[in-house]
Each structure stands twice: as structure tokens, then as C-alpha cells.
Amino acid sequence: MALLVMSEDYVRALIGKLMKETRVVAPHVREGRKQWQFADVVDPGRVALEYVSTILPPKKYAFPTEDDLVHWRTEEGFSAEPVLSVEPLVLFGVHPCDIYGLESLDISLTDTYVDPNWVARRRAMRIVGIDCLPDEWCFCSSMKTCSVSSGYDLFLTPINNWSEYVAEAATGAGAAMLAVAEGREASSHDLAQMRAWQNDKLARQRDRRINTEVNDLPLHFTGFADSVVWERWSRKCYSCGTCNTTCPTCFCFDVLDKLKLSLDEGYRSRVWDGCMLEDFAVVAPHENFREERHERLRHRFYRKYAYLYTRYGRPYCSGCGRCVRQCLADIDPVKVINDLLTEARKEAAGHGL
Amino acid sequence: MAKPTAAVFSFTGCEGCSLAILECEKELLDVVKLVDFVEWREAMSERTEAMIDLGFIDGAISTHHDEKKIRQVRERVRMLISIGACATNAGVNALKHRYGLREVKEIVYGEAGAEFDTISARPVHAVVPVEFEIPGCPIQGEEFLRIVLDIVQGKQPRLPNYPVCVECKRKENVCVFEKGMICMGPVARAGCGADCPSYGAWCEACRGFVDNPNDEAHEEVLTKYGVTSEELLQRYDIFCAYELEERKSRQQGQR
């Protein structure tokens, strides 16, 4: 495993070198506030290396909010061609939770049907991860996503109070980046600091945890579809779908036809959808099988912590905290899960267990 | 199939929605290949006595004259479509309902006010049946074109039934609440691309509410952000005064 200790200046110099070859996207401060957004790097000096969370997760580069899938025309007979624009891309500065999110979508978007747009764009993508410290909304320690062992080409761990980074290459592409980077050899003291970083991350979330082990969640969710918890939390819920829109593991979409006014040409496109939105489950003839707010809230939690967990062996939640950070009503998965566990215990006590 | 005929009729309002159609400059030549405009005060001098297939209405019904005219228009139009906040939910015209009609006339026109004919502002659907409504202040050209295309193809046009937050988050805007302002986005109907929050303003719900807004949640959130109930009502009132009256009378009817 190749390791290199880089100063902040050297990290920014590396971004500059990568930009000469490839499009590079990285977190930037949004509207001068403590909020960030992945965007094209114009000046490596403006990349936010120390940040908490972007408003949208980086999945938008492989699964854009709106994506044309098919272009059709009737000039000279009917013809339809797939639409796919792919370009090599370096995603620079991705946190472990978001790497987990991308890997989760790699699984679900290639499961029964291999999503060609996702796969082509992911193949053209190089990932440079970077470590972070949690804010009051992160709960990666509960989801066991504070660190990842795959899903990146290069990973940077800050040391010496963010003045230097230990860069670790995990792939040939990552090693090639290290080969053009400047830095010094890692000492045993640097490696000790890397380990200390992980411990610090966990320690900072000591008071913000789900009261169970993550792999027990599918079990705990079993039999609680009628729990009062869903109704209780849904009273606060706008059904605005902000939790869906900002989620790194949500992948539902709607398909629309965009016809040109000339009537002889159009696109079939997909746009992000969200299971919290009122019309998500509307089917012909305008029947809605999740009409009530609490049914939709419950469904989202079951998807994240039970259905997809059982199917793919991992929670479809990275603990990134975007859903609650952006939720005006403060609907917090940690609190909802703990509320459910409390209700479960009450019920068990009622049965004399 | 013969090309459908279309007309635009304007009532009490700024006629900005009629203008919003004219502003689809790049597309207008394609639009007139789909429909024949036969009457449109803002765009042409011609008039017609014949039956019209598609009638677009902008403006609220706010005078006795409006009321008489909309009934006559309804008789001449096969498919009536309200466009814009005034026509779909009385828009800012309904702000006058905060006062008595006599008081309103006096505030606006002084002594001469007594001469003016004004009645409570109503959306078109409160006076005559309408087949579809396109909300917004003003309407979005792109949405108008999509709906015309749907109608020409015989498809049922649809409006988004989700809040502005969906489109706002897709644009990665910093939440209006985090900037120290308050916003109607979480209960307001999307379709505008969250234009106002994207340009640094807050959403005034000019497209009305989603089908089932969570008002209790919104009140709780606004209270958390220090908004008094009077300020709250003012936010709701700008574009949704009539919609709130309508909802109140519906709820009373259910009891």
C-alpha cells in the first residue's frame, strides 16, 4: 500500500495537476454559509477540504436529477436511440459515508436490471476520499460507516490539525495520482494519528447513537408496521421529500416523455422521485396505495433499515445525516429508531417478556 | 383532425399571464401550428363569434361585469382553462377581503370609490365550471406549452403535487429558513423550479398549496422560527387568501 504525507498546498497542487487531464469536481462553500456543494473545480484554492456535508450527495454525477434516456424521432420513419453522455471525472474530497452511498447504489442499480447510465458513468469516475469530523447530525458510528475499506482510488486522512494529509492509494489509478503528487514519507507517528482520527470520530458520536446494533435493525423492525411511532412522527412531516432528495442511497425515479412542439421528436427522461411525496404510489386509475402520511414515512424507514437491508445485507442509510440536517420538522432517524425500540420494549414488557 | 381554435380572455388582473404566453417567443411559431388563435386581446385585433375549442382565462372575477362576461365566454368555449394565480385562486385580488368592500373602494379611490363596481374576488371555477387550471404568478411558459401539448394529444394534463422544496433541494439552494427568512415552500405547489428561493427571495405560494399541505406542521415550524400568528396569516394571505376561505368553508361543510 502506497502512502504519502502531503501538506495542504500539495493536496491543492495535486487537484491542479488532475485538472489538466480530467474534469474534477469537489466540495465548495455554497452561498457563503456553512453548507457545501459538489461543483466543478475552477480554482483548487477554493476547494473545501474541511467540510461537513454537501446539500446533495455526489451520486448526482452518475444519476443526475434529470437524465434523458432515449431520443426518438419520426423523420424518415420512427427511430429511437439511447442517450448517454459520459466523461472521465475525478470526484475529489468524498467522505466515507458518501463512498458508502455510491457503493450501495452500485449494488441496487445492477441487481435485477443493470442500469447502463449509472454503470457507464461510475466506470468513468475516479474517487479521492477524504476524512471528516461529524457535526451534531451525523450518525455514521451507528451505521458503521465512519470508515470504508473500498470504493476509492485515493484516500486522504487529515493529521496535525488539518495541516497535512496522509494519502493512501487503493488502486492503480490512485497510485498514479500519488506518483505525480509531492509529499514526504509517512512516519509511525503519522500512522498513529490516522488511527486516532477514527477514534475521535467515534467518540464525538458517543451521545448520538441508535440503541441497538445496526445489524439487528431488520429484526427490530419486524412486526412494528402498526406501531404508534409512525403516526406520531408523521404528524410533523410535510411530505416534502427533502429526506429523499438529499439521500445518498435513494434511487427511485419517475419516467417522463418530453415531446417537442413539432410533434416529430422527443425524449424519454427520468427525474428523481421520492417515496415521501404524496403521489409517489399513485397507480391507474388514480389509486394511491400509500395515501396517508404515516404510511409513507413508515415505508421510507422500512426501506432504509429493513427491506433493502435484508435484500442486500447492508443498511440503505449511510448515517450522513443529510435528511435530518435539512428537515425543517427535525425528523431524526436516530430518534425515530430509538422511539421504535422503546415502544418495542414496552410491548415486550406487556407480554411479560 | 382539424386544428383546434384557441382564445385568451382577460379579466381582473395585470394580464401578465397573457403576456407570459407571448413571451414564449422561440416556440410561438410552433404553437400556432398546433392551434389557431382566433381571439386574444393582448396579441391580436381579430374577434370571433364562433365556438372556440380552447379558452384560456387570466384574471379574477371581481366585478359584476366580469361575472356576466365569464358566463358568456363559458357558453362559447368547449374547454375552459384558467391560467395564473388570479384566475385559479383569485390571487392577490382576494387581499381586499381583509376589509369591507366600501372600505376598500375608499382606500383605493377616495370619494370617487362609491362609483366603482367591485365584488368579492373569486377564481373562475367559483363562477363557472373549468376543465383545467394552470397556477402561478405569472404562469411558467414551459408548463403552459407542455399542457397545450398534452391537450392537443388528448392526454390528461397534470400538475406537480409536491412542494417547492423538492425543486429547491434539487438546485442545492441553501434553505431559505437558514438565511433568516421564512418560506411557504414546504406547503406550496411546485412547478416553478423554485425560482424565488433560487434568486434569494422566499416562496410566497403563488401556485397555491399542494393537495394536502401539512398546515399544523408548518405552523409549528414557523412558530419555532419566531413567527407570530398574525405574520403567519399575512404569509398565507398574499396569494392564498381565497384558497384558505374555500378550505374553511369546505371544512365547515364536512362538520
Side-chain angles (χ1 to χ4, degrees):
Chain A
M1 193 197 325
L3 282 177
L4 189 71
V5 177
M6 301 165 75
S7 67
E8 184 188 325
D9 286 345
Y10 284 154
V11 171
R12 295 189 191 278
L14 173 62
I15 298 174
K17 283 176 188 166
L18 295 172
M19 281 166 70
K20 289 193 181 118
E21 311 280 326
T22 326
R23 182 182 168 200
V24 182
V25 297
H28 290 77
V29 167
R30 179 87 169 125
E31 296 178 42
R33 284 160 205 277
K34 280 204 144 190
Q35 298 228 15
W36 295 267
Q37 176 187 34
F38 275 98
D40 281 81
V41 182
V42 179
D43 169 8
R46 288 176 52 209
V47 169
L49 296 172
E50 186 182 342
Y51 75 102
V52 179
S53 177
T54 52
I55 297 173
L56 290 185
K59 73 174 182 192
K60 66 179 183 179
Y61 289 107
F63 181 20
T65 53
E66 184 168 350
D67 201 10
D68 292 333
L69 304 176
V70 176
H71 175 226
W72 63 263
R73 55 205 308 161
T74 55
E75 211 182 332
E76 298 162 28
F78 179 83
S79 66
E81 292 290 330
V83 182
L84 175 58
S85 59
V86 183
E87 63 173 323
L89 182 71
V90 175
L91 264 172
F92 201 100
V94 188
H95 287 167
C97 55
D98 283 341
I99 294 173
Y100 180 90
L102 291 169
E103 287 200 304
S104 301
L105 296 194
D106 287 341
I107 300 169
S108 50
L109 292 175
T110 58
D111 176 23
T112 46
Y113 172 75
V114 178
D115 189 302
N117 292 32
W118 174 267
V119 170
R121 291 190 183 119
R122 279 285 280 147
R123 278 190 184 141
M125 206 179 260
R126 294 286 167 260
I127 308 280
V128 178
I130 196 163
D131 221 330
C132 47
L133 287 176
D135 71 354
E136 68 267 38
W137 302 118
C138 297
F139 57 102
C140 52
S141 78
S142 292
M143 293 297 122
K144 293 197 163 61
T145 53
C146 289
S147 64
V148 284
S149 55
S150 62
Y152 55 85
D153 297 286
L154 192 68
F155 195 87
L156 307 173
T157 306
I159 55 167
N160 298 325
N161 197 27
W162 302 88
S163 65
E164 289 185 296
Y165 295 82
V166 183
E168 171 210 337
T171 63
M177 290 181 200
L178 276 194
V180 298
E182 290 180 83
R184 61 174 176 83
E185 254 181 58
S187 67
S188 58
H189 179 62
D190 298 326
L191 299 181
Q193 283 199 63
M194 272 175 83
R195 284 190 293 275
W197 187 272
Q198 275 306 317
N199 292 335
D200 190 17
K201 252 178 127 166
L202 295 172
R204 283 170 191 245
Q205 295 179 66
R206 203 172 285 137
D207 298 324
R208 178 167 169 72
R209 286 195 54 82
I210 56 166
N211 298 328
T212 185
E213 285 302 311
V214 63
N215 51 350
D216 286 336
L217 280 177
L219 186 67
H220 286 303
F221 271 68
T222 305
F224 284 92
D226 296 324
S227 171
V228 291
V229 169
W230 311 119
E231 177 70 42
R232 188 185 295 154
W233 285 90
S234 71
R235 265 182 242 133
K236 294 154 71 84
C237 177
Y238 280 116
S239 299
C240 69
T242 290
C243 48
N244 293 129
T245 308
T246 60
C247 181
T249 63
C250 274
F251 52 87
C252 289
F253 56 86
D254 197 5
V255 174
L256 307 170
D257 282 330
K258 296 188 298 190
L259 178 64
K260 295 249 167 132
L261 287 159
S262 56
L263 303 178
D264 61 356
E265 186 183 357
Y267 287 92
R268 178 156 289 186
S269 312
R270 68 172 164 198
V271 291
W272 287 5
D273 206 343
C275 57
M276 297 294 268
L277 306 178
E278 188 180 5
D279 286 1
F280 180 80
V282 171
V283 293
H286 217 80
E287 177 63 33
N288 189 344
F289 56 87
R290 278 194 293 279
E291 200 167 4
E292 301 295 330
R293 225 178 277 284
H294 76 269
E295 294 172 328
R296 297 195 291 275
L297 184 114
R298 175 182 65 195
H299 178 75
R300 178 170 155 83
F301 275 85
Y302 269 83
R303 286 282 286 182
K304 297 289 157 196
Y305 306 109
Y307 304 150
L308 293 177
Y309 202 145
T310 312
R311 179 159 176 167
Y312 298 126
R314 54 160 62 199
Y316 264 61
C317 169
S318 71
C320 70
R322 281 186 181 88
C323 50
V324 54
R325 199 176 287 115
Q326 301 287 346
C327 180
L328 279 170
D330 300 325
I331 299 175
D332 180 353
V334 174
K335 289 187 184 150
V336 175
I337 289 170
N338 287 341
D339 198 13
L340 184 76
L341 295 170
T342 307
E343 288 297 331
R345 258 174 235 125
K346 269 198 240 164
E347 193 165 303
H351 288 104
L353 297 170
Chain B
M1 196 179 76
K3 221 198 301 187
T5 54
V8 183
F9 299 98
S10 294
F11 289 77
T12 304
C14 70
E15 268 186 81
C17 291
S18 187
L19 184 63
I21 305 175
L22 275 177
E23 280 174 347
C24 300
E25 289 164 5
K26 272 190 264 171
E27 296 87 1
L28 271 183
L29 288 178
D30 282 323
V31 174
V32 298
K33 284 181 194 157
L34 296 175
V35 294
D36 265 329
F37 280 100
V38 291
E39 188 165 341
W40 181 356
R41 180 167 77 183
E42 200 161 284
M44 56 199 279
S45 322
E46 291 85 346
R47 297 282 156 89
T48 182
E49 297 293 313
M51 273 304 279
I52 298 159
D53 294 314
L54 277 173
F56 298 100
I57 310 296
D58 78 348
I61 308 305
S62 169
T63 62
H64 286 107
H65 175 256
D66 279 349
E67 201 177 329
K68 194 173 154 199
K69 190 174 128 192
I70 191 65
R71 290 186 202 282
Q72 288 167 349
V73 165
R74 175 73 267 193
E75 296 289 305
R76 295 165 55 202
V77 167
R78 290 196 175 86
M79 189 172 190
L80 198 67
I81 297 164
S82 307
I83 60 170
C86 297
T88 58
N89 68 3
V92 291
N93 297 288
L95 272 174
K96 71 178 176 185
H97 301 179
R98 283 185 195 168
Y99 313 91
L101 285 177
R102 188 178 299 174
E103 199 186 344
V104 164
K105 288 197 270 192
E106 206 179 305
I107 292 170
V108 179
Y109 301 108
E111 276 178 23
E115 305 299 318
F116 283 86
D117 165 36
T118 187
I119 54 176
S120 290
R122 278 173 295 168
V124 177
H125 72 245
V127 185
V128 295
V130 299
E131 274 71 37
F132 198 70
E133 298 185 313
I134 306 177
C137 183
I139 55 163
Q140 301 280 320
E142 207 178 307
E143 185 171 56
F144 174 83
L145 296 172
R146 176 172 57 77
I147 287 166
V148 168
L149 260 177
D150 283 344
I151 292 169
V152 170
Q153 294 175 88
K155 279 167 70 173
Q156 171 66 41
R158 282 171 56 194
L159 294 177
N161 180 29
Y162 46 76
V164 171
C165 296
V166 172
E167 292 170 348
C168 203
K169 283 290 165 307
R170 282 182 196 158
K171 291 195 168 169
E172 294 201 80
N173 291 327
V174 171
C175 181
V176 169
F177 283 88
E178 295 214 16
K179 300 186 197 173
M181 296 185 280
I182 59 168
C183 188
M184 293 296 285
V187 288
R189 187 181 297 276
C192 53
D195 273 351
C196 294
S198 302
Y199 288 99
W202 46 278
C203 169
E204 298 177 336
C206 75
R207 294 171 55 87
F209 299 118
V210 290
D211 288 354
N212 287 299
N214 193 341
D215 292 316
E216 292 79 26
H218 200 46
E219 202 171 331
E220 204 174 297
V221 165
L222 291 181
T223 308
K224 186 177 84 184
Y225 281 89
V227 180
T228 63
S229 46
E230 196 185 338
E231 287 170 322
L232 178 79
L233 193 66
Q234 281 173 2
R235 294 295 166 119
Y236 271 78
D237 254 10
I238 301 174
F239 282 103
C240 301
Y242 187 88
E243 208 171 330
L244 284 178
E245 288 169 32
E246 219 175 21
R247 201 195 296 167
K248 213 180 287 170
S249 63
R250 218 174 25 237
Q251 281 162 353
Q252 276 163 0
Q254 279 169 359
R255 278 193 205 117

